[in-house]
Amino acid sequence: MTSVPAQSSSSDMPASHARRSRTISIRVGLLALVVVCTLPATLVAGLAVYETYALRKTRIYETTVLTARSLASDLDQELEGIGAGLRVLAGSSDLVRNDLASFQQRAIEALKYQDIDRYVLTDLHGNEVLDTSSAPPGTLTGHARLPDLPHVSRGGSHPMVARLASPRGRGVTIIVGVPVTIEDEVRYLLFADLSSNRLGILMNRHTLDEGWVAALLDRDATILGRTREEARFVGERAVPSLADAVQRQHEGTLPSQTKEGIPVLTAFSHLATTPWAVVVGAPTAAFTADLYRAMAWVAGGGLLAILFGLGLAYQLARRIEQAVGNLVEPALALGAGHRISVAPPHFKETAAVAEAIEHAADTLEHARQLAYYDPLTKLSNRVLFSELARRAIAAAQRSRTSLALVAIDLDHFKTVNDVHGHSTGDTVLQIAARRMVDAVRRSDVVARYGGDEFMVLLDGTGPAAAEAVANSLVEALSEPYPGVSPRVSASAGIAAFPSSGTTLEALISRADAALYAAKSHGRHQAVLDPGAESAGR
């Protein structure tokens, strides 16, 4: 049986005032140290409020959008930087003098300062004039002809960026080009080439969370660069749902899958320099990863704050170390979700921080109670039960073991409310909850599912054993309730995994059907789902 955390009691106000009266004040000169030492508690108090919000899907979406924008901005800056380098080369006096040999040496020297593969100088028809990767000039091969050359010759605020087709298995080549103007006339076109591998390196400069993946897509939703397994996927088209969204919208979010088939929450944002888009995918595991990462930040931030505070007031190190140490340990325990105990502080300022931590613990505990437990019976509510049941089903699938769900309904409970009032009805529900908890194992989960309906999760229990437990629950719940008439009894329906179903929804549906059959056959009995009954034979 899952235990119900006790509600944290409110702080005793007289004791709080007495504790403050026994402390001494710190000199104004140590105010900065107090601020630094209270920072961990402030962070933990903020994270206590933020914990529930961090589990929501919108938080991951917002993060992916910001990451996509940041990556798009970085790539824009990189392309603009390459374009700026091209413009500097395009203005070289060697080209004005038509000294191509000297210009080639200048271009080769410029390669040392930009993260590109080569420079190519062509005429306005795409015929190669100079190539830094080869000594003699030649002509670009047929697949390297540049369809967007008129765009380059017209110029513009951004350099032209395009993708060149490459032989299968060799990725893609990205070109950045600017016109070369001599005496107010465009004479040449100057290009810089960079491979898809370099695009992956550029995107990997932006640190992504573990398991996240980012990619660069062109206007046709073809993958140009990727932070992971680029050799495998570069040159392929993005998954259909993502490709459609990127081609229809400038920026957005959607649930999709990676090319490896991993479910992700996806955000995309287009670049300003070219109609390409940066795509960022966060796996669903990022929901819990965010929480663990935040807790690690609390621990690290608390340690740094303590060390910095001790450095500011070395002469009072021992006393302040003790005061801050008494706050840090419960603060970290609070961040980890444990119960806390704050030792009596030495200073008024640290006493105030201790009260803030205790108040944060009370607030967090109360929030957990409201979120996961029924306030009347102290049993798990529908939300917590569903979460625990899904985990148990997943574990049973992996280990090929069995489990059972028992749906229980109190017979004649409405009559109790009508005759005795809702206060007596509440008392009956509380007694029924205690009886069920006493009748099952501590590892089993009892939940109030709504009204007078309860659910019991019996982990590692087969159909026959589940039927025996259900009958004992029916008998326990049918015992007389003090001062209540007519007599209240119980009916139960049992569903077993996997014979009754392999999902929580299916098991609940079969348990409800069995419960309905129990009520139809006269109440005060437990009925096993026929599918589970036949499987047990």
Side-chain angles (χ1 to χ4, degrees):
M1 172 61 197
T2 54
S3 60
V4 179
Q7 289 279 3
S8 298
S9 59
S10 300
S11 299
D12 188 355
M13 294 303 293
S16 173
H17 288 299
R19 181 168 57 191
R20 286 194 178 189
S21 65
R22 292 193 300 268
T23 59
I24 61 173
S25 176
I26 301 176
R27 294 180 300 172
V28 178
L30 295 177
L31 181 60
L33 179 61
V34 174
V35 174
V36 172
C37 292
T38 58
L39 182 59
T42 304
L43 288 174
V44 172
L47 287 173
V49 178
Y50 174 77
E51 181 180 2
T52 302
Y53 177 74
L55 298 176
R56 299 177 183 175
K57 185 182 292 187
T58 53
R59 179 67 183 85
I60 299 297
Y61 271 134
E62 290 171 1
T63 303
T64 54
V65 168
L66 292 175
T67 304
R69 289 174 181 171
S70 179
L71 276 170
S73 176
D74 290 347
L75 288 174
D76 275 328
Q77 291 179 8
E78 189 69 28
L79 293 175
E80 287 287 3
I82 294 174
L86 286 170
R87 292 188 183 96
V88 171
L89 280 176
S92 170
S93 60
D94 295 333
L95 292 177
V96 177
R97 299 193 307 270
N98 200 30
D99 187 352
L100 297 182
S102 177
F103 178 77
Q104 184 176 25
Q105 291 303 316
R106 185 184 300 274
I108 292 173
E109 186 68 23
L111 285 174
K112 300 177 182 179
Y113 305 101
Q114 285 203 308
D115 194 13
I116 60 177
D117 295 319
R118 65 170 183 163
Y119 288 110
V120 177
L121 184 70
T122 74
D123 61 20
L124 299 184
H125 302 289
N127 298 312
E128 181 184 300
V129 176
L130 182 148
D131 183 347
T132 58
S133 64
S134 60
T139 302
L140 292 177
T141 57
H143 72 272
R145 306 294 291 187
L146 309 177
D148 291 331
L149 290 178
H151 175 74
V152 181
S153 62
R154 288 196 299 271
S157 59
H158 299 300
M160 188 278 284
V161 183
R163 171 176 66 91
L164 294 182
S166 296
R168 184 172 180 83
R170 296 186 181 180
V172 296
T173 298
I174 309 304
I175 61 169
V176 182
V178 297
V180 178
T181 303
I182 300 175
E183 296 179 355
D184 298 328
E185 179 184 355
V186 176
R187 300 281 184 86
Y188 302 105
L189 303 172
L190 182 59
F191 296 96
D193 290 3
L194 61 159
S195 65
S196 58
N197 290 336
R198 291 190 182 272
L199 286 176
I201 293 172
L202 291 175
M203 288 189 293
N204 274 310
R205 290 177 181 174
H206 194 292
T207 303
L208 297 177
D209 292 340
E210 183 178 357
W212 289 39
V213 62
L216 178 65
L217 307 182
D218 69 2
R219 69 179 69 189
D220 298 321
T222 300
I223 300 174
L224 303 181
R226 206 169 187 264
T227 57
R228 197 170 62 208
E229 296 194 69
E230 60 270 21
R232 180 181 174 188
F233 296 114
V234 166
E236 295 187 8
R237 200 164 188 268
V239 294
S241 60
L242 177 58
D244 180 65
V246 168
Q247 291 176 329
R248 286 189 295 104
Q249 298 174 264
H250 178 75
E251 185 176 88
T253 58
L254 74 157
S256 66
Q257 288 187 336
T258 65
K259 294 291 287 185
E260 298 92 336
I262 301 173
V264 288
L265 304 178
T266 304
F268 60 89
S269 182
H270 279 76
L271 277 68
T273 53
T274 180
W276 297 349
V278 170
V279 179
V280 176
T284 54
F287 288 105
T288 54
D290 279 347
L291 178 60
Y292 297 150
R293 185 165 48 254
M295 292 168 61
W297 273 108
V298 170
L303 179 60
L304 290 176
I306 294 172
L307 293 176
F308 185 68
L310 292 176
L312 292 178
Y314 180 77
Q315 298 299 325
L316 297 177
R318 291 185 179 179
R319 295 191 65 190
I320 294 176
E321 182 181 2
Q322 182 181 3
V324 176
N326 289 340
L327 296 177
V328 172
E329 187 172 341
L332 295 177
L334 175 62
H338 302 149
R339 293 186 179 276
I340 67 169
S341 176
V342 182
H346 294 288
F347 308 107
K348 290 183 177 180
E349 290 81 358
T350 52
V353 177
E355 291 177 11
I357 295 176
E358 290 171 345
H359 179 71
D362 292 342
T363 302
L364 178 60
E365 187 65 29
H366 183 63
R368 286 176 176 165
Q369 288 287 335
L370 294 178
Y372 294 115
Y373 295 91
D374 174 50
L376 177 64
T377 63
K378 301 300 185 293
L379 297 177
S380 303
N381 63 12
R382 183 190 295 255
V383 174
L384 181 56
F385 178 81
S386 297
E387 181 178 338
L388 296 175
R390 291 184 197 279
R391 292 181 182 178
I393 291 171
Q397 286 176 329
R398 291 191 299 269
S399 59
R400 297 185 179 181
T401 57
S402 59
L403 60 81
L405 289 186
V406 182
I408 301 175
D409 192 80
L410 297 182
D411 303 326
H412 311 299
F413 179 75
K414 182 177 183 301
T415 304
V416 174
N417 281 335
D418 293 341
V419 174
H420 299 282
H422 289 280
S423 177
T424 300
D426 290 347
T427 301
V428 169
L429 291 175
Q430 291 171 332
I431 295 173
R434 289 196 296 269
R435 290 178 180 179
M436 285 188 288
V437 170
D438 293 339
V440 298
R441 302 167 300 181
R442 292 182 61 85
S443 60
D444 298 327
V445 180
V446 180
R448 184 184 178 191
Y449 217 64
D452 60 329
E453 183 179 356
F454 300 87
M455 281 285 182
V456 181
L457 171 64
L458 304 175
D459 198 5
T461 304
E467 188 173 13
V469 174
N471 282 318
S472 66
L473 286 170
V474 168
E475 293 304 318
L477 293 173
S478 300
E479 292 292 328
Y481 293 84
V484 174
S485 63
R487 183 178 177 181
V488 176
S489 61
S491 301
I494 310 154
F497 172 89
S499 52
S500 298
T502 57
T503 66
L504 177 60
E505 292 75 14
L507 291 173
I508 290 176
S509 176
R510 298 309 304 162
D512 283 339
L515 173 61
Y516 180 78
K519 285 186 171 290
S520 299
H521 295 158
R523 298 186 174 91
H524 191 195
Q525 58 184 295
V527 173
L528 180 63
D529 173 51
E533 184 177 2
S534 61
R537 289 173 180 165

